[in-house]
Amino acid sequence: MSGLDGLRGLAALYVLLFHCWLLVFRGFPANSGPSWLGWLMYGRFAVVFFLILSGFSLAISAARKDWRLGGVADFLRRRAWRILPPYWAALAFSLMVAWLVVPASHLGPPTGKTILVYGLVIQDIFTAPTPNGAFWSIGVEAELYLVFPIFLLLRRRLGATALIAIVTFIVVAHGLLSKNALPVEGMNGLTLNLAPVFVAGIVGAGVIVASEKVRRMPWHWMAALAAVPALYLVVVRGSVWTVEHYFWMDLVVVPAMTLLVVAVSTGKPNFLVRFLDTRPVRRLGNVSYSLYLIHLPIIMGIVRKVAPHYVSPGLPTFWFTLLLGVPTSLLGAWVFAEVFEMPFKRNRSWKLMLEAVSSRRQGMRLTGRRSLRTGQAENN
């Protein structure tokens, strides 16, 4: 769905802007920058939105088939084919930047353990110096893919309410049983915490096969109403409290975000859907995964290696980073996607990819022969 792709693109752009802010203004989660830039501080919420979109998008096909997956092995193969090639290419790129330009972790440059852990996409289970700070969510999503078939089974056998109640109960119980009812979060071990987010997307996909009466409901207004508690907490409590309570805030923002995705999938509100369907936003959505994968090493290189030679710290560095880093990241994402993502998106197997390459070469030969004949004819 083009509207969903547009939402994904805007979320990736927000993560890019968040990292521009984060690397320039130190002291996170406190806001050491201008107060009017405070809205850029919540990159975690964009990842939450990604997971909702992921659960929703993956469940659309299953919803149309009575919540049946059509083969676990085939599903996992298709997910690996779609996600891993660009991820591994971005891993290689990030390693080169971290080794040769600027380290991406306070733990130091990547090591052999880094290659093993991140290469196997098990960074949510094991800790290693990261080559790219954005990769933590890829590990979470990979683990959620593994349990996606179980979620669908529960959805089919028990229903939507039971599915989301079971998963949310487990996570809430974990939170309440933790010290001060606030689990300590590190760089990994986050899959359990974010499982309700992914499940909310799965449940929301039920609107695709719902009756016309349900689809006509004012989902966008319900999304706006559901956003009020989250906005209140962020504004009143501030950034430090919000970040320290991400475990609970993730659950608070889920209803509004899920309802927004449902609204867009049903064509509401009209002005937003039209905007999401514009060519620039659709193109942004088309390369959103690549943008997410490669933008952080680019921004880190600009902030730490380029900007200090031209501008002073603080706001001048932020503007410099935006002017140079955003277009560079977008252009880099487009090139990266064309090389490492789109071939795997267009062709679902090595056989189809080789056939496409062969067909393209044959077409180039035919074009060359026609051009040669045309040139000979003109000379004669």
Side-chain angles (χ1 to χ4, degrees), residues 49-349:
F49 194 55
F50 277 132
L51 292 175
I52 292 172
L53 280 168
S54 180
F56 189 96
S57 300
L58 290 176
I60 289 175
S61 176
R64 290 170 174 160
K65 296 183 291 188
D66 192 29
W67 300 99
R68 297 181 186 279
L69 189 59
V72 174
D74 185 57
F75 165 75
L76 294 177
R77 183 196 66 80
R78 286 185 280 110
R79 281 290 84 197
W81 179 264
R82 174 69 182 88
I83 298 298
L84 290 181
Y87 168 75
W88 281 331
L91 174 59
F93 168 70
S94 300
L95 287 169
M96 290 301 101
V97 173
W99 278 326
L100 302 177
V101 182
V102 55
S105 171
H106 65 278
L107 298 176
T111 63
K113 185 179 180 181
T114 298
I115 298 173
L116 178 64
V117 168
Y118 283 85
L120 295 176
V121 204
I122 52 177
Q123 57 264 36
D124 190 59
I125 303 173
F126 300 100
T127 301
T130 181
N132 185 324
F135 282 177
W136 70 270
S137 67
I138 308 300
V140 170
E141 191 148 0
E143 292 178 43
L144 289 171
Y145 290 158
L146 294 177
V147 293
F148 178 68
I150 298 175
F151 291 150
L152 284 187
L153 178 64
L154 293 174
R155 172 62 181 85
R156 186 172 71 252
R157 296 284 180 85
L158 303 178
T161 303
L163 168 61
I164 201 163
I166 291 170
V167 176
T168 304
F169 174 79
I170 294 172
V171 174
V172 170
H174 166 60
L176 293 176
L177 292 174
S178 301
K179 185 178 180 181
N180 299 321
L182 188 63
V184 177
E185 290 192 343
M187 291 301 296
N188 54 12
L190 298 174
T191 299
L192 174 64
N193 300 4
L194 292 167
V197 173
F198 187 71
V199 167
I202 295 173
V203 170
V207 75
I208 299 299
V209 293
S211 66
E212 191 61 29
K213 181 180 179 181
V214 171
R215 291 177 58 81
R216 287 178 180 174
M217 291 177 66
W219 297 106
H220 54 305
W221 290 116
M222 289 190 281
L225 185 62
V228 172
L231 290 173
Y232 173 83
L233 289 172
V234 170
V235 172
V236 173
R237 295 286 189 169
S239 63
V240 175
W241 184 92
T242 299
V243 172
E244 291 177 349
H245 291 77
Y246 265 152
F247 178 88
W248 296 110
M249 286 300 297
D250 290 344
L251 300 178
V252 174
V253 301
V254 162
M257 290 183 175
T258 305
L259 289 169
L260 174 61
V261 173
V262 169
V264 169
S265 72
T266 60
K268 303 183 195 70
N270 292 332
F271 75 90
L272 177 60
V273 175
R274 286 197 300 270
F275 171 71
L276 293 173
D277 202 35
T278 57
R279 181 177 295 180
V281 179
R282 282 191 284 112
R283 287 182 174 178
L284 178 62
N286 204 36
V287 301
S288 59
Y289 183 46
S290 291
L291 178 61
Y292 184 83
L293 289 175
I294 70 164
H295 77 276
L296 189 51
I298 295 172
I299 297 303
M300 291 190 73
I302 290 173
V303 171
R304 296 183 178 174
K305 294 296 182 178
V306 180
H309 298 290
Y310 297 98
V311 291
S312 57
L315 201 54
T317 295
F318 179 75
W319 291 125
F320 181 87
T321 304
L322 286 186
L323 291 174
L324 182 59
V326 172
T328 301
S329 296
L330 291 173
L331 178 60
W334 178 77
V335 174
F336 183 89
E338 285 298 315
V339 177
F340 298 110
E341 184 179 0
M342 295 308 163
F344 295 90
K345 194 174 181 179
R346 299 186 188 110
N347 307 286
R348 295 299 183 177
S349 67

